[in-house]
Amino acid sequence: MSDKKKIDLHGQWQVFLDAEDRGNAEKWYEPASLAGKHAHPISFPGSLELAGIGNPVTSKTDWVGSRFGDEFLKDPLYEPYRADDDFRFPYWLQPETRFTGSAWYVKHITIPKHDTSSWQLVLERPHWETSVWVNGVFVGSCDSLSVPHRYDLPALEDGEVVLVIRVDNRMIWDVGPNAHSISDQTQGPWNGIVGQLALVPVSTLSLGVVSVYPNSKRRAALCTARVDNHEEQETSVTLQITRAGREPSTLTRSVEPGTAIFHMELDEMPLWDEYDPNLEDVHVLLKTDEGVVDEKTLQIGLRSVESKGKQLFVNGNQTFLRGTVECCVFPKTGHPPMEEGYWEYLFSQSKAYGLNHIRFHSWCPPEAAFRVADRMGFYLQVECPIWKNQGVAYDENKAFDDWLFTESERIVAEYGNHPSFLLFASGNEPDGRDKEVLGLWASTWNQRDARRLHTSASGWPALEENAYQVVPEPRVQAWGEELASRINAKAPETCSDYTAICEKYPGPVVTHEMGQWCVFPDFSEMKEYTGYLKPRNFEVFADILSRRGLAGQAGQFLQASGFQQVLCYKEEIEAALRTGNLSGFQLLALTDFPGQGTALEGVLNTFWQEKGYCSGPQFRRFCSDIVLLARLPRRYYTAGETLVADIELANFGSRAIEQPKVTWRLSDEKGNQVQGGSLPTDQPAGRGLHSLATLSLSIPELTGAQKLTLSLTLEDPRRENEWDIWVFPEEVKLDAGDVVVADRWDEESRKALLEGGKVLLLASGESDVALGFSSVFWNTSWTGGQAPHTLGMVVDAEHPVFSKFPTENHSDWQWWELVHGGSAMVLDDLPHELSPMVQPIDTWFRSHKLGLLFECMIGPGKLMVCSMDVTSDLEHRTVARQLYHAILSYMQSNQFAPKSRLTVEEIGLLVRNEEA
């Protein structure tokens, strides 16, 4: 029916809190029963939390979400944040108020004179279960977390009626405490209604669900429309479909009381995909002899999706998913945006960083998200609002199994026509009887509805019934691998891929939650939290950093850890693109996740804003539809060696590249070309992974150790990518001269210093801080302290000790050999003015001041302390040999003049386990 006849219910309501759950027994649905009870005014759409209604958050607040570890409750470091009058929780964003239970929302509505036989109440996104009464008469209940709640109301007379809606935000069904549909890890268990709230007139003859089933090969679609006849006799109706520029299509037939299904064909439709998101408005009208009685407008796009062998195909074209996970993180409101504007921003940012896909982790977005994704050509994986793990599992509860199927049917009925709705999963990482329940779920949906592909769940189980698999194995670092992962245990190279892993699974494979590489908090972001959820976790981390005396380095830590994060993501994504039988990846994530301990794994923050160290164009060099790849067996070379690299092209662009023209360039740190040329490529490159050529070049003689950059450029369409390598002299001088090199803090070392000598102390630096090359994986709280605990390093690149060692002010791949086997020294108890030249960045949960290399005066003597291995197996460890040479050369020069002064006793405390 026309929106003009709709009654908008936005505006002021009253709410009565029912903390003791007495409302039903005391008949709060009857207006007279509420007399004398305290009412809060509230504006809808909205929530109790946005209105500041509820109890203040304290240490006794009952949270919805798992916590791993007990450091917050037991560690003295966190004691200042546990007080009720200044409670600050470090594990997720924190609301200022909390109400859990039933809230009764009441509004007096004036029904104008009308010719409508009945009305439908539409509540677009309530949280969670709603029950409705009109003038004290019960209408019904709904427990969906994913679709609008709709209620067919009894006939309403002209005049005032009282509408009562009871919203219960408790755990109606045990979907799991960490499901992003309800958890404090994300949006929180808010209580309210957002989006459309309206009374919509309904005719005795009306349109029900209208579904469109595409046939992309024939450029046609079948439109099925349900017609509901609430009259008492058979009625002749006409279904008319109108499309722009076409003659209307009509079908007339008699409809008996009840429900009838009409079928009509739509022909000559353009195809929809990520490159050509062609959409068409289809206007469906239901007519009788008296005119139009109901109407709907659909925005549809014609596309197919199939799995063949190990690949995914959209409209018959091989497709590679470059995705991120969206976890219902919207700090300003808690609830997801119900208007299209924010979704346009979100998908635009995703595209700016080379993505074509978003997975909605254990929740389903609203209509606005689908409409924007349709227009922008974005592929969505939608999930039922379930994460049955961390204490809950699929058991023998058949009622929950029934609810799972019911909820998925509601999702498909509501959003199934959207071409962007490409993939569907039952939820995230299940436990228990998951194979039995979800194997049936996947097979049922794959047989019932070919408009999308279905998989049992994200993460696992990998089943034959799945049309595609979403599994965590094809990635650089797995849960629990710690320092044994490829990026931490294996010397740097760009050859590894996941071909063998993908072959183990039936059908196409998409990598589950790839990445999870963290950065240090960006405390400047805190000013953005102007809404419902507050960054109390950031306040805790900033305060800990300040208590360590390191607040002034927050910006350095962000930038240096950001470089390390991007370095990790580049290798992660390129390894995926090097895998010819992988069908895509889902990053965790392009944006930060503010829960589960606080996981700052995004290149963008929770507001989808840049952090200042990686732009979209920079990220698209290695994450895009067309990416140049180089398989380098190593990154360290000596002059005269031969670099051999297989050059590949991952092409998932809009067209085949008939004759790829690729040039290469080897340049020095100042950008000067050292060598260059063109690659002999004459074979066309359609969609997929292609081997272009093998590049072989001799590493030239250079002046000292240097970083060189290998760059590749594709001319049409223009694409660039690059990789750094390091070149070291074949021989260097390692004469200690007047420097005493000591591997223990012994009497000889102390004596040399007290006599004005120079000492290089090779300390083990043993501590509880697990040093790794990669950044922190997810975060050290949620993972139970999994290594590494560090986020890259700040390097004082201008210090003269590095005059013979190539480095920038952050770690890069050349530091892998030095970090591997090294140990972080904890410098908390030393004077604040001591500034290490190599400073690992500790996890934000501890923010220890760390060092791998520092210098100081001890009495009249000069001391250099190094906790990296720079002396063993130097015949095969060219990087360590070069740094050892650089340290010795510096210590024997006039530039060796430490500014900080320590005592013998302070050094003794630092290296007490190594004293002789």
Side-chain angles (χ1 to χ4, degrees), residues 400-472:
F400 183 88
D401 299 349
D402 176 69
W403 183 81
L404 162 66
F405 278 86
T406 299
E407 186 75 346
S408 59
E409 287 167 351
R410 292 187 284 214
I411 290 170
V412 171
E414 188 69 28
Y415 309 118
N417 290 330
H418 290 284
S420 58
F421 188 178
L422 192 79
L423 308 169
F424 196 15
S426 73
N428 182 61
E429 298 176 356
D431 196 7
R433 292 175 55 251
D434 54 316
K435 295 180 177 63
E436 300 169 53
V437 177
L438 302 183
L440 184 62
W441 185 91
S443 63
T444 299
W445 275 112
N446 281 322
Q447 292 169 28
R448 280 179 57 179
D449 197 337
R451 290 179 292 177
R452 65 197 60 83
L453 300 180
H454 305 83
T455 192
S456 56
S458 286
W460 57 79
L463 304 175
E464 291 285 350
E465 294 94 328
N466 295 343
Y468 67 106
Q469 315 291 347
V470 184
V471 293

Coordinates of all heavy atoms in Angstrom, one line a residue, residues 400-472:
F400 N 16.0 -25.7 19.7 CA 17.0 -24.7 19.2 C 17.3 -25.0 17.7 O 17.4 -24.1 16.9 CB 18.3 -24.7 20.0 CG 19.3 -23.7 19.5 CD1 19.2 -22.4 20.0 CD2 20.2 -23.9 18.4 CE1 20.1 -21.4 19.5 CE2 21.0 -23.0 17.9 CZ 21.0 -21.7 18.5
D401 N 17.4 -26.3 17.4 CA 17.6 -26.6 16.0 C 16.5 -26.1 15.1 O 16.7 -25.6 14.0 CB 17.7 -28.2 15.8 CG 18.9 -28.7 16.6 OD1 19.7 -28.0 17.1 OD2 18.9 -30.0 16.7
D402 N 15.3 -26.2 15.6 CA 14.1 -25.7 14.9 C 14.2 -24.2 14.7 O 13.9 -23.7 13.7 CB 12.8 -26.1 15.7 CG 11.6 -25.5 15.0 OD1 11.2 -26.0 13.9 OD2 11.0 -24.6 15.6
W403 N 14.6 -23.5 15.8 CA 14.8 -22.1 15.7 C 15.8 -21.7 14.7 O 15.6 -20.7 13.9 CB 15.1 -21.5 17.1 CG 15.2 -20.0 17.1 CD1 14.1 -19.1 17.2 CD2 16.4 -19.2 16.9 NE1 14.6 -17.8 17.1 CE2 16.0 -17.8 17.0 CE3 17.7 -19.5 16.8 CZ2 16.9 -16.8 16.9 CZ3 18.6 -18.4 16.7 CH2 18.2 -17.1 16.7
L404 N 16.9 -22.4 14.6 CA 18.0 -22.1 13.6 C 17.4 -22.2 12.2 O 17.6 -21.3 11.4 CB 19.1 -23.2 13.7 CG 20.0 -23.3 12.5 CD1 20.8 -22.0 12.3 CD2 21.0 -24.5 12.7
F405 N 16.6 -23.3 11.9 CA 16.0 -23.4 10.6 C 15.0 -22.3 10.3 O 14.9 -21.7 9.3 CB 15.4 -24.7 10.4 CG 16.4 -25.8 10.0 CD1 17.1 -26.5 10.9 CD2 16.6 -26.1 8.6 CE1 18.0 -27.5 10.6 CE2 17.5 -27.1 8.3 CZ 18.2 -27.8 9.2
T406 N 14.2 -22.0 11.4 CA 13.2 -20.9 11.3 C 13.8 -19.6 11.0 O 13.4 -18.8 10.1 CB 12.3 -20.8 12.5 OG1 11.7 -22.1 12.7 CG2 11.3 -19.7 12.4
E407 N 14.9 -19.3 11.7 CA 15.6 -18.0 11.5 C 16.2 -17.9 10.2 O 16.1 -16.8 9.5 CB 16.7 -17.8 12.6 CG 17.3 -16.4 12.6 CD 16.5 -15.3 13.2 OE1 15.3 -15.5 13.3 OE2 17.0 -14.2 13.5
S408 N 16.8 -18.9 9.7 CA 17.4 -18.9 8.3 C 16.3 -18.7 7.3 O 16.5 -18.0 6.3 CB 18.2 -20.2 8.1 OG 17.4 -21.3 8.2
E409 N 15.1 -19.3 7.5 CA 14.0 -19.1 6.5 C 13.5 -17.7 6.5 O 13.2 -17.1 5.5 CB 12.9 -20.1 6.9 CG 13.2 -21.5 6.5 CD 12.2 -22.5 7.1 OE1 11.3 -22.1 8.0 OE2 12.2 -23.7 6.7
R410 N 13.5 -17.1 7.7 CA 13.1 -15.7 7.8 C 14.1 -14.8 7.1 O 13.7 -13.8 6.4 CB 13.0 -15.3 9.3 CG 11.8 -15.9 10.0 CD 11.5 -15.4 11.4 NE 12.5 -15.9 12.4 CZ 12.1 -16.1 13.7 NH1 10.9 -16.0 14.1 NH2 13.1 -16.6 14.5
I411 N 15.4 -15.1 7.2 CA 16.4 -14.3 6.5 C 16.3 -14.4 5.0 O 16.3 -13.4 4.3 CB 17.8 -14.7 7.0 CG1 18.1 -14.3 8.5 CG2 18.9 -14.2 6.1 CD1 19.3 -14.9 9.1
V412 N 16.1 -15.6 4.5 CA 16.0 -15.8 3.1 C 14.7 -15.1 2.5 O 14.7 -14.5 1.5 CB 16.0 -17.3 2.7 CG1 15.7 -17.5 1.3 CG2 17.4 -17.8 3.0
A413 N 13.6 -15.3 3.3 CA 12.4 -14.6 2.8 C 12.5 -13.1 2.8 O 11.9 -12.5 1.9 CB 11.2 -15.0 3.7
E414 N 13.2 -12.5 3.7 CA 13.3 -11.1 3.8 C 14.3 -10.5 2.8 O 14.1 -9.5 2.2 CB 13.7 -10.7 5.2 CG 13.7 -9.2 5.5 CD 12.3 -8.6 5.5 OE1 11.3 -9.4 5.8 OE2 12.1 -7.4 5.2
Y415 N 15.5 -11.2 2.7 CA 16.6 -10.6 1.9 C 17.0 -11.4 0.7 O 18.0 -11.1 0.0 CB 17.8 -10.4 2.9 CG 17.5 -9.7 4.1 CD1 17.7 -10.3 5.4 CD2 17.0 -8.4 4.1 CE1 17.4 -9.6 6.6 CE2 16.7 -7.7 5.3 CZ 16.9 -8.3 6.5 OH 16.6 -7.7 7.7
G416 N 16.4 -12.5 0.4 CA 16.8 -13.5 -0.6 C 16.9 -13.0 -2.0 O 17.6 -13.6 -2.8
N417 N 16.2 -11.9 -2.3 CA 16.2 -11.4 -3.7 C 17.4 -10.6 -4.0 O 17.7 -10.3 -5.2 CB 15.0 -10.5 -3.9 CG 13.7 -11.4 -4.0 OD1 13.7 -12.5 -4.4 ND2 12.6 -10.8 -3.6
H418 N 18.2 -10.1 -3.0 CA 19.3 -9.3 -3.2 C 20.4 -10.0 -3.9 O 20.9 -11.0 -3.4 CB 19.8 -8.7 -1.9 CG 18.8 -7.7 -1.3 ND1 18.7 -6.4 -1.8 CD2 17.9 -7.8 -0.3 CE1 17.8 -5.8 -1.1 NE2 17.3 -6.6 -0.1
P419 N 20.9 -9.5 -5.0 CA 22.0 -10.2 -5.7 C 23.3 -10.2 -4.9 O 24.2 -11.1 -5.1 CB 22.2 -9.4 -7.0 CG 21.6 -8.1 -6.7 CD 20.5 -8.3 -5.8
S420 N 23.5 -9.2 -4.0 CA 24.7 -9.2 -3.2 C 24.7 -10.3 -2.1 O 25.8 -10.6 -1.6 CB 24.7 -7.8 -2.4 OG 23.6 -7.6 -1.7
F421 N 23.6 -10.9 -1.8 CA 23.5 -12.0 -0.9 C 24.0 -13.2 -1.6 O 23.2 -14.0 -2.1 CB 22.0 -12.1 -0.4 CG 21.8 -13.0 0.7 CD1 20.5 -13.2 1.3 CD2 22.8 -13.8 1.3 CE1 20.2 -14.1 2.3 CE2 22.6 -14.7 2.4 CZ 21.3 -14.8 2.9
L422 N 25.3 -13.4 -1.6 CA 25.9 -14.5 -2.4 C 26.1 -15.7 -1.6 O 26.1 -16.8 -2.2 CB 27.3 -13.9 -2.9 CG 28.0 -14.7 -4.0 CD1 27.4 -14.4 -5.3 CD2 29.5 -14.4 -4.0
L423 N 26.4 -15.6 -0.3 CA 26.8 -16.8 0.5 C 26.0 -16.7 1.8 O 25.7 -15.7 2.3 CB 28.3 -16.7 0.8 CG 29.3 -16.5 -0.4 CD1 30.7 -16.2 0.0 CD2 29.2 -17.8 -1.3
F424 N 25.8 -17.9 2.4 CA 25.0 -18.0 3.6 C 25.6 -19.1 4.5 O 25.9 -20.2 4.0 CB 23.6 -18.4 3.2 CG 22.6 -18.2 4.3 CD1 22.8 -17.4 5.5 CD2 21.3 -18.7 4.2 CE1 21.9 -17.2 6.5 CE2 20.3 -18.5 5.2 CZ 20.6 -17.8 6.3
A425 N 25.8 -18.8 5.7 CA 26.3 -19.8 6.7 C 25.4 -19.8 8.0 O 24.8 -18.8 8.2 CB 27.8 -19.4 7.1
S426 N 25.5 -20.9 8.7 CA 24.6 -21.0 9.9 C 25.1 -20.1 11.0 O 24.3 -19.9 12.0 CB 24.5 -22.4 10.3 OG 25.7 -22.8 10.9
G427 N 26.3 -19.7 11.0 CA 26.9 -19.0 12.1 C 28.4 -19.2 12.1 O 29.0 -19.5 11.1
N428 N 29.0 -19.0 13.3 CA 30.5 -19.1 13.4 C 30.9 -20.2 14.3 O 30.3 -20.5 15.4 CB 31.0 -17.8 14.0 CG 32.5 -17.7 14.1 OD1 33.2 -17.8 13.1 ND2 33.0 -17.6 15.3
E429 N 32.0 -20.9 13.9 CA 32.8 -21.9 14.7 C 31.9 -22.6 15.8 O 32.1 -22.5 17.0 CB 33.9 -21.1 15.4 CG 34.8 -20.4 14.5 CD 35.9 -19.6 15.2 OE1 35.8 -19.4 16.4 OE2 36.8 -19.0 14.5
P430 N 31.1 -23.6 15.3 CA 30.2 -24.3 16.3 C 30.9 -25.4 17.0 O 32.0 -25.8 16.7 CB 29.2 -24.9 15.3 CG 29.9 -25.1 14.0 CD 30.9 -24.0 13.9
D431 N 30.3 -25.8 18.1 CA 30.8 -26.9 18.9 C 29.6 -27.9 19.1 O 28.5 -27.6 18.9 CB 31.3 -26.4 20.2 CG 32.2 -27.4 21.0 OD1 32.5 -28.4 20.4 OD2 32.5 -27.1 22.1
G432 N 30.0 -29.1 19.5 CA 28.9 -30.1 19.8 C 28.5 -31.0 18.6 O 29.4 -31.4 17.9
R433 N 27.2 -31.1 18.4 CA 26.7 -31.9 17.3 C 26.6 -31.1 16.0 O 25.7 -31.2 15.3 CB 25.3 -32.4 17.7 CG 25.2 -33.4 18.8 CD 23.7 -33.7 19.2 NE 22.9 -34.2 18.1 CZ 22.0 -33.5 17.5 NH1 21.7 -32.3 17.9 NH2 21.3 -34.0 16.5
D434 N 27.7 -30.4 15.8 CA 27.6 -29.5 14.7 C 27.5 -30.2 13.3 O 26.8 -29.8 12.4 CB 28.9 -28.5 14.7 CG 30.2 -29.3 14.7 OD1 30.3 -30.2 15.5 OD2 31.1 -28.9 14.0
K435 N 28.2 -31.3 13.2 CA 28.2 -32.0 11.9 C 26.8 -32.6 11.6 O 26.4 -32.5 10.4 CB 29.3 -33.2 11.9 CG 30.7 -32.7 12.0 CD 31.7 -33.9 12.0 CE 33.1 -33.4 12.0 NZ 33.4 -32.7 13.2
E436 N 26.2 -33.1 12.6 CA 24.8 -33.6 12.4 C 23.8 -32.6 12.0 O 23.1 -32.7 11.0 CB 24.4 -34.4 13.6 CG 25.3 -35.5 14.0 CD 24.9 -36.0 15.4 OE1 23.7 -36.4 15.6 OE2 25.8 -36.1 16.3
V437 N 23.8 -31.5 12.8 CA 22.8 -30.5 12.6 C 23.1 -29.7 11.4 O 22.2 -29.4 10.6 CB 22.7 -29.6 13.9 CG1 21.7 -28.5 13.7 CG2 22.3 -30.4 15.1
L438 N 24.3 -29.2 11.3 CA 24.7 -28.3 10.2 C 24.9 -28.9 8.9 O 24.8 -28.3 7.9 CB 25.9 -27.4 10.7 CG 25.7 -26.7 12.0 CD1 26.9 -25.8 12.3 CD2 24.4 -25.8 11.9
G439 N 25.3 -30.2 8.9 CA 25.3 -30.9 7.6 C 23.9 -30.9 7.0 O 23.8 -30.7 5.7
L440 N 22.9 -31.2 7.8 CA 21.5 -31.2 7.3 C 21.1 -29.8 6.9 O 20.5 -29.6 5.8 CB 20.6 -31.7 8.4 CG 19.1 -31.8 8.0 CD1 18.9 -32.8 6.9 CD2 18.3 -32.2 9.2
W441 N 21.6 -28.8 7.6 CA 21.2 -27.4 7.3 C 21.8 -27.0 5.9 O 21.1 -26.5 5.1 CB 21.8 -26.5 8.4 CG 21.4 -25.0 8.2 CD1 20.3 -24.4 8.8 CD2 22.1 -24.0 7.5 NE1 20.3 -23.1 8.4 CE2 21.4 -22.8 7.6 CE3 23.3 -24.0 6.7 CZ2 21.8 -21.6 7.0 CZ3 23.7 -22.8 6.1 CH2 23.0 -21.7 6.3
A442 N 23.1 -27.3 5.7 CA 23.7 -26.9 4.5 C 23.1 -27.7 3.3 O 22.9 -27.1 2.2 CB 25.2 -27.2 4.6
S443 N 22.9 -29.0 3.4 CA 22.4 -29.7 2.3 C 21.0 -29.3 1.9 O 20.6 -29.2 0.8 CB 22.5 -31.2 2.6 OG 21.6 -31.6 3.7
T444 N 20.2 -29.0 3.0 CA 18.8 -28.6 2.7 C 18.8 -27.3 2.0 O 18.1 -27.2 1.0 CB 18.1 -28.4 4.1 OG1 18.1 -29.7 4.8 CG2 16.7 -27.9 3.9
W445 N 19.6 -26.3 2.4 CA 19.5 -25.0 1.7 C 20.1 -25.1 0.3 O 19.7 -24.4 -0.6 CB 20.2 -24.0 2.6 CG 19.3 -23.4 3.6 CD1 19.3 -23.5 4.9 CD2 18.1 -22.6 3.3 NE1 18.3 -22.8 5.5 CE2 17.5 -22.2 4.5 CE3 17.5 -22.1 2.1 CZ2 16.4 -21.5 4.6 CZ3 16.4 -21.3 2.2 CH2 15.8 -21.0 3.4
N446 N 21.2 -25.9 0.1 CA 21.8 -26.0 -1.2 C 20.8 -26.6 -2.2 O 20.8 -26.4 -3.4 CB 23.1 -26.8 -1.1 CG 24.2 -25.9 -0.6 OD1 24.4 -24.8 -1.0 ND2 25.1 -26.5 0.2
Q447 N 19.9 -27.5 -1.7 CA 18.9 -28.1 -2.5 C 17.7 -27.2 -2.8 O 17.1 -27.2 -3.8 CB 18.4 -29.4 -1.9 CG 19.5 -30.5 -1.9 CD 19.1 -31.7 -1.1 OE1 17.9 -32.0 -0.9 NE2 20.1 -32.4 -0.5
R448 N 17.4 -26.4 -1.7 CA 16.2 -25.6 -1.8 C 16.3 -24.3 -2.6 O 15.4 -23.9 -3.2 CB 15.7 -25.2 -0.4 CG 15.0 -26.3 0.4 CD 14.6 -25.8 1.8 NE 13.8 -24.6 1.8 CZ 13.3 -24.0 2.9 NH1 13.6 -24.6 4.1 NH2 12.6 -22.9 2.8
D449 N 17.5 -23.7 -2.6 CA 17.6 -22.4 -3.1 C 19.0 -22.2 -3.8 O 20.0 -22.1 -3.1 CB 17.5 -21.3 -2.0 CG 17.2 -19.9 -2.5 OD1 17.5 -19.7 -3.7 OD2 16.6 -19.1 -1.8
A450 N 19.0 -22.1 -5.1 CA 20.3 -22.1 -5.8 C 20.7 -20.6 -6.0 O 21.7 -20.4 -6.8 CB 20.1 -22.8 -7.2
R451 N 20.0 -19.7 -5.4 CA 20.4 -18.3 -5.6 C 21.7 -17.9 -4.9 O 22.3 -16.9 -5.2 CB 19.3 -17.3 -5.1 CG 18.0 -17.4 -6.0 CD 17.0 -16.5 -5.4 NE 16.4 -16.9 -4.2 CZ 15.5 -16.3 -3.4 NH1 15.1 -15.1 -3.9 NH2 15.1 -16.8 -2.3
R452 N 22.1 -18.8 -4.0 CA 23.4 -18.5 -3.3 C 24.0 -19.8 -2.9 O 23.4 -20.9 -3.0 CB 23.2 -17.6 -2.0 CG 22.3 -18.3 -1.0 CD 21.8 -17.3 0.0 NE 20.9 -16.3 -0.7 CZ 19.7 -16.6 -1.0 NH1 19.1 -17.7 -0.6 NH2 18.9 -15.7 -1.6
L453 N 25.3 -19.8 -2.4 CA 25.9 -21.0 -1.9 C 25.8 -21.0 -0.4 O 25.9 -20.0 0.3 CB 27.4 -21.0 -2.4 CG 27.6 -21.0 -3.9 CD1 29.1 -21.0 -4.2 CD2 26.9 -22.1 -4.6
H454 N 25.8 -22.2 0.1 CA 25.6 -22.4 1.6 C 26.7 -23.3 2.1 O 27.1 -24.3 1.5 CB 24.2 -23.0 1.9 CG 23.1 -22.3 1.2 ND1 22.7 -22.5 -0.1 CD2 22.2 -21.4 1.8 CE1 21.7 -21.7 -0.3 NE2 21.4 -21.0 0.8
T455 N 27.2 -22.9 3.3 CA 28.2 -23.7 4.0 C 27.7 -23.9 5.4 O 27.0 -23.0 6.0 CB 29.6 -23.1 3.9 OG1 30.5 -24.0 4.4 CG2 29.6 -21.8 4.8
S456 N 28.1 -25.0 6.1 CA 27.6 -25.3 7.4 C 27.8 -24.2 8.4 O 26.9 -23.8 9.1 CB 28.3 -26.6 7.9 OG 29.7 -26.5 7.9
A457 N 29.0 -23.6 8.4 CA 29.4 -22.5 9.3 C 30.7 -22.0 8.9 O 31.5 -22.7 8.2 CB 29.4 -23.0 10.8
S458 N 31.0 -20.8 9.4 CA 32.4 -20.3 9.2 C 33.4 -20.9 10.2 O 33.1 -20.9 11.4 CB 32.3 -18.7 9.4 OG 31.7 -18.1 8.3
G459 N 34.5 -21.3 9.6 CA 35.6 -21.9 10.5 C 35.6 -23.4 10.4 O 36.6 -24.0 10.1
W460 N 34.5 -24.0 10.6 CA 34.2 -25.5 10.6 C 32.8 -25.8 10.9 O 32.1 -24.8 11.3 CB 35.1 -26.2 11.6 CG 35.0 -25.7 13.1 CD1 34.0 -26.0 13.9 CD2 35.8 -24.8 13.8 NE1 34.1 -25.4 15.1 CE2 35.2 -24.6 15.1 CE3 37.0 -24.1 13.4 CZ2 35.8 -23.8 16.0 CZ3 37.5 -23.3 14.4 CH2 37.0 -23.1 15.7
P461 N 32.3 -27.0 10.6 CA 33.0 -28.1 10.1 C 33.1 -28.1 8.6 O 32.2 -27.5 7.9 CB 32.1 -29.3 10.5 CG 30.7 -28.7 10.6 CD 30.9 -27.3 11.0
A462 N 34.1 -28.7 8.0 CA 34.3 -28.8 6.6 C 33.6 -30.1 6.2 O 34.0 -31.2 6.5 CB 35.7 -28.9 6.2
L463 N 32.5 -30.0 5.5 CA 31.6 -31.2 5.2 C 31.4 -31.3 3.7 O 31.4 -30.3 2.9 CB 30.2 -31.0 5.8 CG 30.2 -30.8 7.4 CD1 28.8 -30.5 7.8 CD2 30.8 -32.0 8.1
E464 N 31.1 -32.5 3.2 CA 30.8 -32.8 1.8 C 29.5 -32.0 1.4 O 29.4 -31.6 0.3 CB 30.6 -34.3 1.6 CG 31.8 -35.1 1.7 CD 32.8 -35.0 0.5 OE1 32.3 -34.4 -0.5 OE2 33.9 -35.5 0.6
E465 N 28.7 -31.8 2.4 CA 27.4 -31.1 2.1 C 27.6 -29.6 1.8 O 26.7 -29.0 1.2 CB 26.4 -31.2 3.3 CG 26.0 -32.6 3.5 CD 26.8 -33.3 4.6 OE1 28.0 -33.1 4.7 OE2 26.2 -34.2 5.3
N466 N 28.7 -29.1 2.2 CA 29.0 -27.6 2.0 C 29.2 -27.4 0.5 O 30.0 -28.1 -0.2 CB 30.2 -27.2 2.8 CG 30.0 -27.2 4.3 OD1 28.9 -27.3 4.7 ND2 31.1 -27.2 5.0
A467 N 28.7 -26.3 0.0 CA 29.0 -25.9 -1.4 C 30.3 -25.2 -1.5 O 30.9 -25.1 -2.6 CB 27.9 -24.9 -1.9
Y468 N 30.8 -24.7 -0.4 CA 32.2 -24.2 -0.3 C 32.6 -24.3 1.2 O 31.8 -24.4 2.1 CB 32.3 -22.7 -0.8 CG 31.5 -21.7 0.1 CD1 32.2 -20.9 1.0 CD2 30.1 -21.7 0.1 CE1 31.5 -20.0 1.8 CE2 29.5 -20.8 1.0 CZ 30.2 -19.9 1.8 OH 29.5 -19.1 2.6
Q469 N 33.9 -24.3 1.4 CA 34.4 -24.4 2.8 C 35.1 -23.1 3.3 O 35.7 -22.5 2.5 CB 35.5 -25.5 2.8 CG 35.2 -26.8 2.1 CD 34.1 -27.6 2.8 OE1 33.7 -27.4 3.9 NE2 33.5 -28.6 2.0
V470 N 34.8 -22.8 4.5 CA 35.5 -21.6 5.1 C 36.3 -22.2 6.3 O 35.7 -22.5 7.3 CB 34.5 -20.6 5.6 CG1 35.2 -19.4 6.2 CG2 33.5 -20.1 4.5
V471 N 37.6 -22.3 6.1 CA 38.4 -23.0 7.1 C 39.7 -22.2 7.4 O 40.1 -21.4 6.6 CB 38.9 -24.4 6.5 CG1 37.7 -25.3 6.4 CG2 39.6 -24.3 5.2
P472 N 40.2 -22.3 8.6 CA 41.3 -21.5 9.1 C 42.7 -21.9 8.6 O 43.7 -21.1 8.9 CB 41.2 -21.5 10.6 CG 40.6 -22.9 10.9 CD 39.7 -23.2 9.7

